[in-house]
Structure formats: structure tokens, C-alpha cells
Amino acid sequence: MLLITCPCCGVSGEETEFAPGGEAHLKRFGPGSEEGEFAGYLFYRKNPKGPHFERWRHAYGCGKWFHVARDTVTLEIFGAYKATETAPPQEILDRIAARGKA
Amino acid sequence: MQRYSAFAVAREALGYHQGWERAWGAPEPRAEYDVIVIGAGGHGLATAYYLAKNHGITNVAVLEKGWLGGGNTGRNTTIIRSNYLQEPSAAIYELSRGLYEDLSQKLNFNIMFSPRGVLMLCQTEHELRALRRTAHANRLAGIETEMVDVARVKKLCPIIETSGPRFPVLGGLWQPRGGTARHDAVAWGYARAASDLGVHVIQRCEVTGIDVSGGRVTGVQTSKGPIRARKVAMVVAGHSGVLAEMAGFRLPVESVALQALVSEPIKPCMDIVVMANTVHGYMSQSDKGEMVIGGGADGFNNYTQRGSFHHIEETVRALKETFPMISRLKMLRQWGGIVDMTGDRSPIISKTPVEGIFINCGWGTGGFKAIPGSGWATAAMIANGGDRVADPFSLDRFREGRMIDESVAAAVAH
């Protein structure tokens, strides 16, 4: 069972308190984009066996969206950061690198 | 190949059962094959078998990193049905269900196909309307299904509580020739029959790299050394994304854990398969007497073959409303498998951006029922470059917006 700490309200809880929202840091493609860009935006998700950056919502708490760095094999959570960040913070990348999983 | 029969059992009994041959070979890999199939699960083995049987291509290797049928083939809840909504789905799943009918005879291996009937419950008004639509679609596609009323539901499965306050039963979609089969035996049967036709089934041989030269596949790197081939089929379910990355392309799939559980064995109490879409669970009784229960999938990407405990709790809590008698049963064991989900919940059977590489993946939560049809269509695609049944499931559909939307067809939310 995943234990997540919400970076918005600071409350820790297990995964039933949160709702998963898929891959983080997607670039949205709008009107005028190529077919391939639409397909990529809509359907082609990163599916790594290892560290994964993803969106979660504190559904039964403060209700805010945020980001989580999680390993899809060990289920280790490397940390959570706010939805306003456009890339994972260095501190979390360092933690992942320390595990030998750059 | 030594043929299995009642006579053979009697004959071998006289020799204290010392005379049985190995069911399939354990060859060392050759330097080159015409076709390499990666993944010795049901789909991979069926692909190899039909390549040899239907198309005469016998210089084929099936490479497996673990053991035969050790992935999702041995982890599913063994349900076989073809009551899908869309035409391409109806074509492949009904082809598959039809092949299951005499598969034991064709493979000379008892896969224990039991067409006991599959009942999809309608527990809300909108579900009743949706399944009526499916019943009409099935009729047009030539698939034998019918809508049944509550009295018939109760007659088909007396242990269902039809008047429950939370989940009343309003009717059901009944497929009398759906059912179950012994999942391991499907893999074993295909392995034995393919091996007999000259296919090499090579276990404990992990693919560690794909050799691509000038946009064309030339072979694979494995834990048993390099093997050359002009055609490579990836049939690895949850790990499809990992293999595609080795070959330098991406797939529109996400891997999640889907889980199931069985109860302690009890006396026979239900002789059909019941799928309760609204409560996200389905149940049948195995020959051993265990109630086999399929649950929901995790909402996040996952490569651990277990799954979240709360899904089990939610599934069982809801199923208990429909089957009150299971409330005192103990859970015997629980497990998970990694399934590869596509955006439209339909599979991918396709050529890929790399010439010579074919992919069969994206079966998501419903791969077992499709094994014979999927192998049949994939083999035809590899041998002939295209196939009437396989073509609609090509990778292009995500670019073209040509979805085969089956997200409402499965019994569980996914």
C-alpha cells in the first residue's frame, strides 16, 4: 500500500485517500497540431519499469492535484511536489540517482 | 509425438507409467530462425503453433525469460466469452471462442474447455440498456447471446440475490457457449503441439536487446547469446513497452496490476460464470470447488505482480451484496498480473515502425479468452503481411482516431 504525503496540505495518508492521475508533465497539443502529435498527447504514455513521474489528487483531503515520483517496480515513493512545478525538483532526482536509477 | 488417449493411459499403466515421453522439447537455440516469437505465454505459443500449422513456417523459436505460461496465462480467471460490442472485436473474440470448442481434440491435449455459459448481470437501468445494445450487436455479428429476465437469472444461478436494495438484478446478457478452460493446459497444449511440428520452445532465455539495422530487424540478443531472424514477433503483454523501447519505438500502452483471488473450496454451488459489471467483480467456481473471483485493476502504472489490497476489499464487499452466501468464505490466496492497457481497451496486432517486427499486445484485462484467435490472426499477419481479422487492430488507429472502443465491454472498471 502506497503512503503519500500531500505537498499542498502536508497530510500523510495511504493510497485510498488519493486518486491517481497518470503521467506528469505532459505537453498539451491543441488545434492545428499534427495527427502524430495528437496521438502522442492522447495515447502514448511513458510506461517505464522504474522511476515514474505522475499526477495524483488528494481526493479525500485538500482536493489539490500534485506530482509524485514513484518506482513502478518497488513502489518506493521518492517524493511529492506541487502541480505548479514543470519538472521534477533536483532534490528528488538526486534521491532517485542515489538509488542507482537515474 | 506420443498421442494421449484413454488407451494410452491403460497401456502406460501396465508399464508403471515409466514410458511417457517429455511433452515438449528443450532445445538449445539455433543461430538463425525464420521467425522468433518473444514470450511463451498462450498468445506467443498459439502464434508459433498456427505459423507452423496453417502456414508451414516451422523454423520458429519461442523465447521465454521465465517458464512457459508463467505470466498472465497462469494468472487470469479463465473466462471465455465473445459478447463484445464492436465488429472487429466480435470477429476476433468469436473466432477465438469457436477455436476453443474443439481445441482439446486439435491439440490432443485436454484443455478442459467447459462451455458452461457466461451471464453478465444488469444491475442498473443504464446497464440494462447498454447490454441490450450489445445483444443486438451480437445478433448482427452472428454471436449467440440473448437477454434474459430476472426469473431466468435466478434459475441459471440460484445463489444470486436478485432483490438486493443496493444492487437489484434487472436482467442479464446470457452467452450459453461461453465458459472456462484450464489456463495452464492451453499453454501446455500449444507448446506440445508446436514442438511436435518442429517449433523450438526455449525457456529461461531472456531477450536483452533487439538488433536493428537500417530500420530493419536482424535478430535479438538473449541470455543464451545472439539469435538472427528476419521476423520477430513481440508477444509479452505487460512488458511490451520495455521490449518496444529496446527496438526504439513507443507503444500506446500502460502497464497496471490486475488482481484476482480464490476462496477456500466448497461444494458445487454455481455452474456458470457470472460477471457483475456494476460491482466490478466476476465469479465462477473451479473444478476444485474454489470460488474464483476477478477484481479491479490499480489506477497507477505498476510492474509488481500483486496489486493494492483495498481493491480486493472493494470487490469482495460488493460481490457479497449479490452473492450473500459467500460472506462466510475465507480467502485462500490472492495474486496479480501485469496487464497492458490501451486507450480504447482493444488489443494491438500490428506491424511496427521497425520493418520485420510485429507486435501483439494491449489485451488488457481480457487476453485469455482471445488466445486461439489472437495466435491465428497474428500468425496470418506474420506469414502474409496482413490479415482480415488482425488489420483493424493496427497501431495506426491511434493516429487516425479509428478507435475500437470496448471500454464498456468488460465487467470491471479499467
Side-chain angles (χ1 to χ4, degrees):
Chain A
M1 183 152 280
L2 306 178
L3 299 176
I4 298 170
T5 303
C6 175
C8 300
C9 66
V11 169
S12 295
E14 41 96 346
E15 67 187 77
T16 57
E17 195 176 317
F18 299 86
E23 184 185 335
H25 310 305
L26 289 179
K27 181 175 181 295
R28 186 178 185 279
F29 285 89
S33 302
E34 299 289 322
E35 281 178 359
E37 289 169 337
F38 272 127
Y41 167 57
L42 291 169
F43 301 110
Y44 284 72
R45 293 284 177 268
K46 282 182 189 149
N47 191 22
K49 194 175 178 182
H52 187 229
F53 301 99
E54 55 198 13
R55 302 168 77 224
W56 283 77
R57 195 171 86 89
H58 197 177
Y60 295 100
C62 67
K64 297 285 189 227
W65 283 97
F66 59 96
H67 293 140
V68 169
R70 180 180 63 88
D71 192 304
T72 60
V73 179
T74 62
L75 300 189
E76 177 180 1
I77 288 177
F78 300 107
Y81 51 101
K82 290 194 174 172
T84 46
E85 305 284 332
T86 53
Q90 193 55 42
E91 174 199 354
I92 286 177
L93 293 176
D94 290 344
R95 222 172 285 155
I96 294 170
R99 288 281 188 189
K101 289 178 176 171
Chain B
M1 180 174 74
Q2 202 175 21
R3 277 194 67 78
Y4 294 159
S5 65
F7 175 72
V9 172
R11 186 190 63 222
E12 293 303 323
L14 294 174
Y16 299 98
H17 292 289
Q18 301 294 305
W20 293 110
E21 293 168 7
R22 290 185 70 108
W24 51 83
E28 283 302 307
R30 290 187 200 123
E32 181 165 6
Y33 291 92
D34 291 341
V35 180
I36 288 176
V37 178
I38 306 171
H43 290 262
L45 291 165
T47 300
Y49 170 74
Y50 290 119
L51 273 172
K53 183 79 180 171
N54 294 354
H55 305 283
I57 302 170
T58 56
N59 187 20
V60 176
V62 186
L63 309 181
E64 168 58 48
K65 77 172 171 182
W67 65 95
L68 205 150
N72 294 347
T73 304
R75 291 165 193 274
N76 57 75
T77 49
T78 80
I79 297 169
I80 296 164
R81 61 183 177 89
S82 60
N83 52 355
Y84 280 76
L85 181 63
Q86 310 291 350
E87 274 178 36
S89 318
I92 196 164
Y93 289 107
E94 179 61 9
L95 167 68
S96 194
R97 198 206 55 76
L99 288 168
Y100 266 120
E101 292 263 1
D102 63 348
L103 198 57
S104 293
Q105 288 74 26
K106 289 271 164 58
L107 299 179
N108 182 232
F109 198 97
N110 188 5
I111 61 148
M112 296 166 72
F113 176 57
S114 162
R116 58 185 64 185
V118 173
L119 180 66
M120 280 189 163
L121 295 181
C122 306
Q123 295 180 296
T124 63
E125 282 292 342
H126 100 263
E127 201 173 8
L128 187 65
R129 280 200 293 271
L131 287 184
R132 267 190 196 133
R133 181 184 174 208
T134 302
H136 292 315
N138 289 164
R139 177 161 299 182
L140 289 172
I143 296 170
E144 187 193 357
T145 64
E146 60 172 316
M147 288 302 288
V148 294
D149 61 12
V150 187
R152 182 86 189 281
V153 167
K154 192 73 185 169
K155 197 167 175 216
L156 286 166
C157 187
I159 66 170
I160 292 181
E161 168 60 60
T162 53
S163 59
R166 275 181 75 196
F167 303 111
V169 175
L170 308 174
L173 177 65
W174 172 237
Q175 182 170 27
R177 294 302 289 179
T180 61
R182 171 89 201 275
H183 49 192
D184 301 314
V186 174
W188 297 336
Y190 273 121
R192 176 166 168 270
S195 186
D196 184 53
L197 292 170
V199 170
H200 279 188
V201 180
I202 303 163
Q203 301 181 71
R204 279 173 289 176
C205 178
E206 182 175 0
V207 171
T208 52
I210 311 274
D211 299 329
V212 179
S213 167
R216 197 175 201 311
V217 69
T218 56
V220 297
Q221 299 291 326
T222 75
S223 53
K224 294 194 176 191
I227 307 174
R228 292 192 307 276
R230 302 283 284 173
K231 289 180 177 178
V232 173
M234 298 174 173
V235 195
V236 295
H239 281 72
S240 297
V242 177
L243 269 182
E245 202 179 311
M246 285 182 196
F249 62 92
R250 285 179 69 188
L251 289 173
V253 298
E254 290 188 271
S255 300
V256 299
L258 177 73
Q259 55 186 327
L261 68 146
V262 294
S263 75
E264 57 191 330
I266 54 173
K267 287 188 176 177
C269 64
M270 76 187 279
D271 58 359
I272 62 169
V273 179
V274 174
M275 315 190 77
N277 301 19
T278 302
V279 301
H280 303 169
Y282 39 101
M283 188 161 88
S284 62
Q285 189 169 21
S286 75
D287 293 346
K288 286 183 284 185
E290 301 157 339
M291 305 310 287
V292 183
I293 296 172
D298 280 343
F300 49 83
N301 294 33
N302 195 343
Y303 281 90
T304 58
Q305 288 174 319
R306 37 180 207 263
S308 302
F309 180 75
H310 65 92
H311 281 302
I312 290 290
E313 189 188 347
E314 284 155 16
T315 299
V316 172
R317 192 168 57 203
L319 273 183
K320 192 171 70 62
E321 299 287 327
T322 303
F323 302 96
M325 65 161 277
I326 66 168
S327 68
R328 303 296 174 88
L329 286 184
K330 293 184 183 72
M331 184 174 90
L332 196 63
R333 58 182 184 276
Q334 168 270 351
W335 64 92
I338 304 306
V339 297
D340 41 339
M341 311 292 272
T342 57
D344 58 1
R345 304 302 183 240
S346 283
I348 297 167
I349 304 175
S350 181
K351 294 174 185 175
T352 67
V354 181
E355 179 82 23
I357 295 186
F358 300 86
I359 189 134
N360 175 333
C361 71
W363 291 96
T365 59
F368 174 73
K369 68 174 83 70
I371 285 174
S374 153
W376 184 286
T378 308
M381 175 182 66
I382 295 168
N384 306 330
D387 177 67
R388 185 180 55 84
V389 176
D391 288 346
F393 296 98
S394 70
L395 261 175
D396 301 340
R397 75 175 190 270
F398 296 97
R399 198 187 153 88
E400 295 165 1
R402 185 173 44 79
M403 300 303 151
I404 304 169
D405 186 5
E406 290 292 353
S407 52
V408 293
V412 291
H414 54 189

